[in-house]
Coordinates of all heavy atoms in Angstrom, one line a residue:
M1 N 128.7 42.6 142.2 CA 129.4 41.4 142.7 C 130.3 41.9 143.8 O 131.0 42.9 143.7 CB 130.2 40.8 141.5 CG 130.9 39.6 141.9 SD 130.2 38.0 141.6 CE 129.1 38.1 140.4
D2 N 130.2 41.1 144.9 CA 131.0 41.4 146.1 C 132.4 40.7 146.0 O 132.6 39.7 145.4 CB 130.3 41.0 147.3 CG 129.1 41.9 147.7 OD1 129.1 43.0 147.1 OD2 128.3 41.5 148.5
C3 N 133.3 41.3 146.8 CA 134.7 40.8 146.9 C 134.6 39.4 147.6 O 133.7 39.2 148.5 CB 135.5 41.7 147.7 SG 137.2 41.1 148.1
K4 N 135.4 38.5 147.3 CA 135.4 37.2 147.9 C 135.7 37.2 149.4 O 135.2 36.5 150.2 CB 136.5 36.3 147.2 CG 136.7 34.9 147.8 CD 137.8 34.2 147.1 CE 138.1 32.8 147.7 NZ 139.2 32.1 147.0
H5 N 136.6 38.2 149.8 CA 137.1 38.3 151.2 C 136.3 39.4 152.0 O 136.4 39.3 153.2 CB 138.6 38.5 151.2 CG 139.4 37.5 150.5 ND1 139.5 36.2 150.9 CD2 140.0 37.6 149.3 CE1 140.3 35.5 150.0 NE2 140.5 36.3 149.0
H6 N 135.7 40.3 151.3 CA 135.0 41.4 152.0 C 133.6 41.5 151.6 O 133.3 42.1 150.5 CB 135.8 42.7 151.8 CG 137.2 42.7 152.2 ND1 138.2 42.6 151.3 CD2 137.7 42.8 153.4 CE1 139.4 42.6 152.0 NE2 139.1 42.7 153.3
A7 N 132.7 40.9 152.3 CA 131.3 41.0 152.0 C 130.8 42.5 152.0 O 131.2 43.2 152.9 CB 130.5 40.2 152.9
G8 N 130.1 42.9 151.1 CA 129.6 44.3 151.0 C 130.5 45.2 150.3 O 130.1 46.4 150.0
T9 N 131.7 44.8 149.9 CA 132.6 45.6 149.1 C 132.6 45.2 147.7 O 132.7 44.0 147.4 CB 134.1 45.5 149.7 OG1 134.1 45.8 151.1 CG2 135.0 46.4 148.9
A10 N 132.4 46.1 146.8 CA 132.2 45.8 145.4 C 133.6 45.3 144.8 O 134.6 45.8 145.1 CB 131.8 47.1 144.6
A11 N 133.5 44.2 144.0 CA 134.6 43.7 143.4 C 134.9 44.4 142.1 O 134.0 44.8 141.4 CB 134.4 42.2 143.0
V12 N 136.2 44.8 141.9 CA 136.6 45.5 140.7 C 137.5 44.7 139.8 O 137.8 45.2 138.7 CB 137.2 46.9 141.1 CG1 136.2 47.8 141.7 CG2 138.4 46.7 142.0
R13 N 138.0 43.6 140.3 CA 139.0 42.8 139.5 C 138.6 41.3 139.7 O 137.9 41.0 140.6 CB 140.4 43.0 140.0 CG 140.9 44.4 140.1 CD 141.4 44.8 138.7 NE 142.0 46.2 138.8 CZ 142.9 46.6 138.1 NH1 143.4 45.9 137.2 NH2 143.3 47.9 138.2
Q14 N 139.3 40.5 138.9 CA 139.1 39.1 139.0 C 140.5 38.4 139.0 O 141.3 38.8 138.2 CB 138.3 38.5 137.9 CG 137.9 37.1 138.0 CD 136.9 36.6 136.9 OE1 136.6 37.4 136.0 NE2 136.4 35.4 137.1
C15 N 140.7 37.4 139.9 CA 142.0 36.7 139.9 C 142.1 35.9 138.7 O 141.2 35.1 138.3 CB 142.0 35.8 141.2 SG 143.5 34.8 141.3
R16 N 143.3 36.0 138.0 CA 143.5 35.2 136.8 C 143.8 33.8 137.0 O 143.9 33.0 136.1 CB 144.5 35.9 135.9 CG 145.9 35.8 136.4 CD 146.9 36.4 135.4 NE 148.2 36.2 135.9 CZ 149.3 36.7 135.4 NH1 149.2 37.4 134.3 NH2 150.5 36.5 135.9
H17 N 144.1 33.5 138.3 CA 144.5 32.1 138.7 C 143.3 31.3 139.1 O 143.1 30.2 138.6 CB 145.5 32.1 139.8 CG 146.8 32.9 139.4 ND1 147.7 32.5 138.5 CD2 147.2 34.0 139.9 CE1 148.6 33.3 138.4 NE2 148.4 34.3 139.2
C18 N 142.5 31.8 140.0 CA 141.3 31.1 140.6 C 140.0 31.6 140.2 O 139.0 30.9 140.4 CB 141.4 31.0 142.1 SG 141.2 32.6 142.9
G19 N 139.9 32.8 139.6 CA 138.7 33.4 139.1 C 137.9 34.1 140.1 O 136.8 34.5 139.9
A20 N 138.4 34.3 141.3 CA 137.7 34.9 142.4 C 137.6 36.4 142.1 O 138.4 37.0 141.5 CB 138.4 34.8 143.7
F21 N 136.4 37.0 142.5 CA 136.2 38.5 142.3 C 136.8 39.2 143.5 O 136.6 38.7 144.7 CB 134.7 38.7 142.2 CG 134.1 38.2 140.9 CD1 133.5 37.0 140.9 CD2 134.3 38.9 139.7 CE1 132.9 36.5 139.7 CE2 133.8 38.4 138.5 CZ 133.1 37.2 138.5
L22 N 137.6 40.2 143.3 CA 138.3 40.9 144.3 C 138.1 42.4 144.3 O 137.9 43.0 143.3 CB 139.8 40.6 144.2 CG 140.2 39.1 144.0 CD1 141.7 39.0 143.6 CD2 140.0 38.4 145.4
C23 N 138.2 43.0 145.5 CA 138.2 44.5 145.6 C 139.7 45.0 145.4 O 140.6 44.1 145.3 CB 137.7 44.9 147.0 SG 138.7 44.4 148.4
E24 N 139.9 46.3 145.4 CA 141.2 46.8 145.1 C 142.2 46.4 146.2 O 143.4 46.2 146.0 CB 141.2 48.3 145.1 CG 140.7 48.9 143.7 CD 141.6 48.5 142.6 OE1 142.8 48.4 142.7 OE2 141.1 48.4 141.4
S25 N 141.7 46.3 147.5 CA 142.7 46.0 148.6 C 143.1 44.5 148.5 O 144.2 44.1 149.1 CB 142.1 46.3 149.9 OG 140.9 45.5 150.2
C26 N 142.3 43.6 147.9 CA 142.6 42.2 147.8 C 143.4 41.8 146.6 O 144.0 40.8 146.5 CB 141.4 41.3 147.9 SG 140.6 41.4 149.5
Y27 N 143.4 42.7 145.6 CA 144.0 42.4 144.3 C 145.5 42.8 144.3 O 145.9 43.8 144.7 CB 143.3 43.2 143.2 CG 143.8 42.9 141.8 CD1 143.5 41.7 141.1 CD2 144.7 43.8 141.1 CE1 144.0 41.4 139.9 CE2 145.2 43.5 139.9 CZ 144.8 42.3 139.3 OH 145.3 42.1 138.0
D28 N 146.3 41.8 143.9 CA 147.8 42.0 143.8 C 148.1 42.1 142.3 O 148.1 41.1 141.6 CB 148.5 40.9 144.5 CG 150.0 41.1 144.5 OD1 150.5 42.1 144.0 OD2 150.7 40.2 145.0
A29 N 148.4 43.3 141.8 CA 148.7 43.5 140.4 C 149.9 42.7 139.9 O 150.0 42.3 138.8 CB 148.9 45.0 140.1
E30 N 150.9 42.6 140.8 CA 152.1 41.8 140.4 C 151.9 40.4 140.2 O 152.4 39.8 139.2 CB 153.2 42.0 141.5 CG 154.5 41.5 141.2 CD 155.6 41.8 142.2 OE1 155.6 42.9 142.7 OE2 156.3 40.8 142.6
R31 N 151.0 39.8 141.0 CA 150.6 38.4 140.8 C 149.5 38.2 139.7 O 149.3 37.1 139.2 CB 150.1 37.7 142.1 CG 151.2 37.4 143.1 CD 150.7 36.6 144.2 NE 150.5 35.2 143.8 CZ 149.5 34.4 144.1 NH1 148.6 34.9 144.9 NH2 149.4 33.2 143.7
G32 N 148.7 39.3 139.5 CA 147.6 39.2 138.6 C 146.4 38.6 139.3 O 145.6 38.0 138.6
G33 N 146.3 38.7 140.6 CA 145.2 38.1 141.3 C 145.2 38.3 142.8 O 145.6 39.3 143.3
C34 N 144.8 37.2 143.5 CA 144.8 37.3 145.0 C 146.2 37.5 145.6 O 147.2 37.1 145.0 CB 144.2 35.9 145.5 SG 142.6 35.5 144.9
H35 N 146.2 38.2 146.7 CA 147.4 38.3 147.5 C 147.9 36.9 147.9 O 147.1 36.0 148.2 CB 147.2 39.2 148.7 CG 147.2 40.6 148.4 ND1 148.3 41.3 148.0 CD2 146.1 41.5 148.5 CE1 147.9 42.6 147.8 NE2 146.6 42.7 148.1
A36 N 149.2 36.8 148.0 CA 149.8 35.5 148.5 C 149.3 35.2 149.9 O 149.3 36.1 150.7 CB 151.3 35.6 148.4
G37 N 149.0 34.0 150.1 CA 148.5 33.6 151.4 C 147.0 33.9 151.7 O 146.5 33.7 152.8
S38 N 146.3 34.3 150.6 CA 144.9 34.6 150.8 C 144.0 33.4 150.6 O 142.8 33.6 150.6 CB 144.5 35.8 149.9 OG 144.6 35.4 148.6
G39 N 144.6 32.3 150.3 CA 143.8 31.1 150.0 C 143.5 30.9 148.6 O 142.5 30.2 148.2
C40 N 144.2 31.5 147.7 CA 144.0 31.3 146.3 C 144.2 29.8 146.0 O 145.2 29.2 146.3 CB 145.0 32.1 145.5 SG 144.7 32.1 143.7
T41 N 143.3 29.2 145.2 CA 143.3 27.8 145.0 C 144.2 27.4 143.9 O 144.5 26.2 143.8 CB 141.9 27.3 144.7 OG1 141.4 28.0 143.5 CG2 141.0 27.5 145.8
A42 N 144.7 28.3 143.1 CA 145.5 27.9 141.9 C 147.0 28.3 142.2 O 147.3 29.3 142.9 CB 145.1 28.7 140.7
V43 N 147.9 27.5 141.7 CA 149.3 27.7 141.8 C 149.8 28.4 140.5 O 149.5 27.8 139.4 CB 150.1 26.4 142.1 CG1 151.6 26.7 142.1 CG2 149.6 25.8 143.3
P44 N 150.4 29.5 140.6 CA 150.9 30.1 139.3 C 151.8 29.2 138.6 O 152.5 28.3 139.2 CB 151.7 31.3 139.8 CG 151.2 31.6 141.2 CD 150.8 30.3 141.7
Y45 N 151.9 29.3 137.3 CA 152.7 28.4 136.4 C 154.1 28.5 136.7 O 154.7 29.6 136.8 CB 152.4 28.8 134.9 CG 153.4 28.1 134.0 CD1 153.2 26.7 133.7 CD2 154.4 28.7 133.4 CE1 154.1 26.0 132.9 CE2 155.3 28.1 132.6 CZ 155.1 26.7 132.3 OH 156.0 26.1 131.5
A46 N 154.8 27.4 136.9 CA 156.2 27.4 137.0 C 156.7 26.2 136.2 O 156.3 25.1 136.3 CB 156.6 27.1 138.5
P47 N 157.7 26.5 135.3 CA 158.2 25.5 134.4 C 158.9 24.3 135.2 O 159.4 24.6 136.3 CB 159.2 26.2 133.5 CG 159.4 27.5 134.1 CD 158.3 27.8 135.1
K48 N 158.8 23.1 134.7 CA 159.4 22.0 135.3 C 160.9 22.1 135.3 O 161.5 22.8 134.4 CB 159.0 20.7 134.6 CG 157.6 20.4 134.7 CD 157.3 19.1 133.9 CE 155.8 18.8 134.0 NZ 155.5 17.6 133.3
E49 N 161.6 21.5 136.2 CA 163.0 21.5 136.3 C 163.6 20.8 135.1 O 163.2 19.8 134.7 CB 163.5 20.8 137.6 CG 165.0 20.9 137.8 CD 165.4 20.3 139.1 OE1 164.7 20.4 140.1 OE2 166.5 19.8 139.1
G50 N 164.6 21.5 134.4 CA 165.2 20.9 133.2 C 164.5 21.2 131.9 O 164.9 20.8 130.9
Y51 N 163.4 22.0 132.0 CA 162.6 22.4 130.8 C 163.5 23.3 129.9 O 164.0 24.3 130.4 CB 161.3 23.1 131.2 CG 160.6 23.6 130.0 CD1 159.9 22.8 129.2 CD2 160.5 25.0 129.8 CE1 159.2 23.2 128.1 CE2 159.8 25.5 128.7 CZ 159.1 24.6 127.9 OH 158.5 25.1 126.8
I52 N 163.6 23.0 128.7 CA 164.3 23.8 127.7 C 163.3 24.3 126.7 O 162.7 23.5 125.9 CB 165.4 23.0 127.0 CG1 166.3 22.4 128.0 CG2 166.1 23.9 126.0 CD1 167.3 21.4 127.4
P53 N 163.0 25.6 126.7 CA 162.0 26.2 125.7 C 162.4 25.9 124.3 O 163.6 26.0 123.9 CB 162.0 27.7 126.0 CG 162.6 27.8 127.3 CD 163.5 26.6 127.5
G54 N 161.5 25.5 123.5 CA 161.7 25.3 122.0 C 162.3 23.9 121.7 O 162.7 23.7 120.5
K55 N 162.5 23.1 122.7 CA 163.2 21.8 122.5 C 162.4 20.9 121.5 O 163.0 20.3 120.6 CB 163.3 21.0 123.8 CG 164.0 19.7 123.7 CD 164.1 19.0 125.0 CE 164.8 17.7 124.9 NZ 164.8 17.0 126.2
N56 N 161.1 20.9 121.6 CA 160.3 20.1 120.7 C 159.7 20.9 119.6 O 158.7 20.4 118.9 CB 159.2 19.4 121.5 CG 159.8 18.4 122.4 OD1 160.8 17.7 122.1 ND2 159.2 18.2 123.6
M57 N 160.2 22.1 119.3 CA 159.6 22.9 118.2 C 159.8 22.3 116.9 O 158.9 22.4 116.0 CB 160.3 24.3 118.3 CG 159.7 25.3 117.3 SD 157.9 25.5 117.5 CE 157.9 26.6 118.8
W58 N 160.9 21.6 116.6 CA 161.0 21.0 115.3 C 160.0 19.9 115.1 O 159.6 19.7 113.9 CB 162.5 20.5 115.1 CG 162.8 19.3 116.0 CD1 163.3 19.3 117.3 CD2 162.7 17.9 115.7 NE1 163.5 18.1 117.7 CE2 163.1 17.2 116.8 CE3 162.2 17.3 114.5 CZ2 163.1 15.8 116.8 CZ3 162.2 15.9 114.6 CH2 162.7 15.1 115.7
I59 N 159.6 19.2 116.1 CA 158.6 18.1 115.9 C 157.2 18.8 115.6 O 156.5 18.3 114.7 CB 158.4 17.3 117.2 CG1 159.7 16.5 117.5 CG2 157.2 16.4 117.2 CD1 159.8 15.8 118.8
K60 N 156.9 19.9 116.3 CA 155.6 20.6 115.9 C 155.7 21.1 114.5 O 154.7 21.1 113.8 CB 155.4 21.7 116.9 CG 155.1 21.2 118.3 CD 154.9 22.4 119.3 CE 154.7 21.9 120.7 NZ 154.6 23.0 121.6
T61 N 156.8 21.6 114.1 CA 156.9 22.2 112.7 C 156.8 21.0 111.7 O 156.1 21.2 110.7 CB 158.3 22.9 112.6 OG1 158.4 23.9 113.6 CG2 158.4 23.5 111.2
L62 N 157.4 19.9 112.0 CA 157.4 18.8 111.0 C 155.9 18.3 110.9 O 155.4 18.0 109.8 CB 158.3 17.7 111.5 CG 158.3 16.4 110.7 CD1 158.8 16.7 109.3 CD2 159.2 15.3 111.3
V63 N 155.2 18.1 112.1 CA 153.8 17.7 112.0 C 153.0 18.6 111.3 O 152.1 18.2 110.5 CB 153.3 17.5 113.5 CG1 151.8 17.2 113.5 CG2 154.0 16.3 114.1
S64 N 153.2 19.9 111.4 CA 152.4 20.9 110.7 C 152.6 20.8 109.2 O 151.7 20.9 108.4 CB 152.8 22.3 111.2 OG 152.5 22.5 112.5
I65 N 153.9 20.7 108.8 CA 154.2 20.6 107.4 C 153.6 19.3 106.8 O 153.0 19.3 105.7 CB 155.7 20.6 107.2 CG1 156.3 22.0 107.5 CG2 156.1 20.2 105.7 CD1 157.8 22.0 107.5
L66 N 153.7 18.2 107.5 CA 153.1 16.9 107.0 C 151.5 17.1 106.9 O 150.9 16.5 106.0 CB 153.4 15.8 107.9 CG 154.9 15.4 107.9 CD1 155.2 14.3 108.9 CD2 155.3 14.9 106.5
A67 N 150.9 17.8 107.8 CA 149.5 18.0 107.8 C 149.1 18.8 106.5 O 148.1 18.5 105.9 CB 149.0 18.7 109.1
I68 N 149.9 19.8 106.2 CA 149.6 20.6 105.1 C 149.8 19.8 103.8 O 149.0 19.8 102.9 CB 150.5 21.9 105.0 CG1 150.1 22.8 106.2 CG2 150.5 22.6 103.7 CD1 151.1 23.9 106.4
I69 N 150.8 19.0 103.7 CA 151.1 18.1 102.6 C 149.9 17.1 102.4 O 149.4 16.9 101.3 CB 152.4 17.4 102.7 CG1 153.6 18.4 102.5 CG2 152.6 16.3 101.6 CD1 154.9 17.9 102.8
G70 N 149.5 16.6 103.5 CA 148.4 15.6 103.4 C 147.1 16.3 102.9 O 146.4 15.7 102.1
A71 N 146.8 17.5 103.4 CA 145.6 18.2 102.9 C 145.7 18.5 101.5 O 144.7 18.4 100.7 CB 145.4 19.5 103.8
I72 N 146.8 18.9 101.0 CA 147.0 19.2 99.5 C 146.8 17.9 98.7 O 146.2 18.0 97.7 CB 148.4 19.9 99.3 CG1 148.4 21.3 99.9 CG2 148.7 19.9 97.8 CD1 149.8 22.0 99.9
T73 N 147.4 16.8 99.2 CA 147.2 15.5 98.5 C 145.7 15.2 98.4 O 145.3 14.7 97.3 CB 148.0 14.4 99.3 OG1 149.4 14.9 99.4 CG2 147.9 13.1 98.5
V74 N 145.0 15.3 99.5 CA 143.6 15.0 99.4 C 142.8 15.9 98.4 O 142.0 15.4 97.7 CB 142.9 15.1 100.8 CG1 141.4 15.0 100.8 CG2 143.5 14.0 101.7
L75 N 143.1 17.1 98.4 CA 142.5 18.0 97.5 C 142.8 17.7 96.0 O 142.0 17.7 95.2 CB 142.9 19.5 97.8 CG 142.3 20.1 99.0 CD1 142.9 21.5 99.3 CD2 140.8 20.2 98.9
L76 N 144.1 17.4 95.8 CA 144.5 17.0 94.4 C 143.8 15.7 94.0 O 143.4 15.5 92.8 CB 146.0 16.9 94.3 CG 146.8 18.2 94.3 CD1 148.3 17.9 94.3 CD2 146.4 19.0 93.1
L77 N 143.7 14.7 94.9 CA 143.0 13.5 94.5 C 141.5 13.7 94.3 O 141.0 13.1 93.3 CB 143.1 12.5 95.7 CG 144.5 11.8 95.8 CD1 144.6 11.0 97.1 CD2 144.8 10.9 94.6
A78 N 140.9 14.6 95.0 CA 139.5 14.9 94.8 C 139.3 15.6 93.4 O 138.4 15.3 92.7 CB 138.9 15.8 95.9
L79 N 140.2 16.5 93.1 CA 140.2 17.2 91.8 C 140.4 16.2 90.7 O 139.6 16.2 89.7 CB 141.3 18.3 91.8 CG 141.3 19.1 90.5 CD1 140.0 19.9 90.4 CD2 142.5 20.0 90.6
C80 N 141.3 15.3 90.8 CA 141.6 14.3 89.7 C 140.4 13.4 89.6 O 140.0 13.1 88.4 CB 142.8 13.5 90.0 SG 144.4 14.5 89.9
A81 N 139.8 13.0 90.7 CA 138.7 12.1 90.6 C 137.5 12.8 89.9 O 136.8 12.2 89.1 CB 138.3 11.6 92.0
G82 N 137.3 14.0 90.2 CA 136.2 14.8 89.6 C 136.4 15.0 88.1 O 135.5 14.8 87.3
I83 N 137.7 15.1 87.7 CA 137.9 15.3 86.3 C 137.7 13.9 85.5 O 137.1 13.9 84.5 CB 139.4 15.8 86.0 CG1 139.5 17.2 86.5 CG2 139.8 15.6 84.6 CD1 140.9 17.8 86.5
I84 N 138.2 12.9 86.1 CA 138.1 11.5 85.5 C 136.7 11.1 85.4 O 136.2 10.6 84.3 CB 138.9 10.5 86.3 CG1 140.4 10.8 86.2 CG2 138.6 9.1 85.9 CD1 141.3 10.0 87.1
F85 N 135.9 11.3 86.5 CA 134.5 10.7 86.5 C 133.5 11.6 85.7 O 132.4 11.2 85.5 CB 134.0 10.5 87.9 CG 134.8 9.3 88.5 CD1 135.5 9.5 89.6 CD2 134.6 8.0 88.0 CE1 136.2 8.4 90.2 CE2 135.3 7.0 88.5 CZ 136.1 7.1 89.6
T86 N 133.9 12.9 85.4 CA 133.0 13.7 84.7 C 133.3 13.9 83.2 O 132.6 14.5 82.5 CB 132.9 15.2 85.4 OG1 134.2 15.7 85.3 CG2 132.4 15.1 86.8
S87 N 134.4 13.4 82.8 CA 134.8 13.5 81.4 C 134.0 12.5 80.5 O 133.7 11.4 81.0 CB 136.3 13.3 81.2 OG 136.7 12.0 81.6
N88 N 133.8 12.8 79.3 CA 133.1 11.9 78.4 C 134.1 11.1 77.6 O 135.0 11.6 77.0 CB 132.2 12.7 77.4 CG 131.1 13.4 78.1 OD1 130.6 12.9 79.1 ND2 130.7 14.6 77.6
F89 N 133.9 9.8 77.6 CA 134.8 8.9 76.9 C 134.1 8.4 75.7 O 133.8 7.2 75.5 CB 135.2 7.7 77.8 CG 136.1 8.1 78.9 CD1 135.6 8.0 80.2 CD2 137.4 8.5 78.8 CE1 136.4 8.4 81.3 CE2 138.2 8.8 79.8 CZ 137.7 8.8 81.1
S90 N 133.7 9.3 74.8 CA 133.0 8.8 73.6 C 133.8 8.5 72.4 O 134.9 8.8 72.1 CB 132.0 9.8 73.1 OG 131.9 11.0 73.7

């Protein structure tokens, strides 16, 4: 595979932003991909202004706990139904 910018030069890396194949001279290890200004089509991730990490973590935790409780409830209902419908009422 050839470098995106240098035809005939073997590509040794791939840009993690745009996926382009790059030779050593085109790869920027600090950016993890194409050199700045090389026409990389992707913009590196930058958090939005005012973003607070972990702000909504309690909501994700609550949803996870409720999902687990719901799954346990369904399993218990299935188990009870199996016991009721398979028992002999003689």
Side-chain angles (χ1 to χ4, degrees):
M1 179 94 26
D2 286 345
C3 174
K4 176 183 177 181
H5 304 288
H6 301 105
T9 305
V12 294
R13 306 275 184 152
Q14 187 173 8
C15 177
R16 71 176 183 186
H17 304 290
C18 69
F21 293 99
L22 306 167
C23 65
E24 282 295 331
S25 63
C26 291
Y27 183 76
D28 183 1
E30 190 173 311
R31 285 190 77 218
C34 301
H35 281 291
S38 64
C40 185
T41 57
V43 177
Y45 171 76
K48 294 179 182 178
E49 185 177 326
Y51 173 74
I52 302 169
K55 180 179 178 184
N56 294 325
M57 183 56 80
W58 68 272
I59 293 174
K60 292 178 183 179
T61 304
L62 180 64
V63 169
S64 298
I65 290 170
L66 291 175
I68 292 169
I69 291 171
I72 291 171
T73 303
V74 169
L75 288 173
L76 288 175
L77 286 173
L79 182 64
C80 290
I83 290 171
I84 291 171
F85 292 117
T86 58
S87 62
N88 294 328
F89 294 109
S90 3

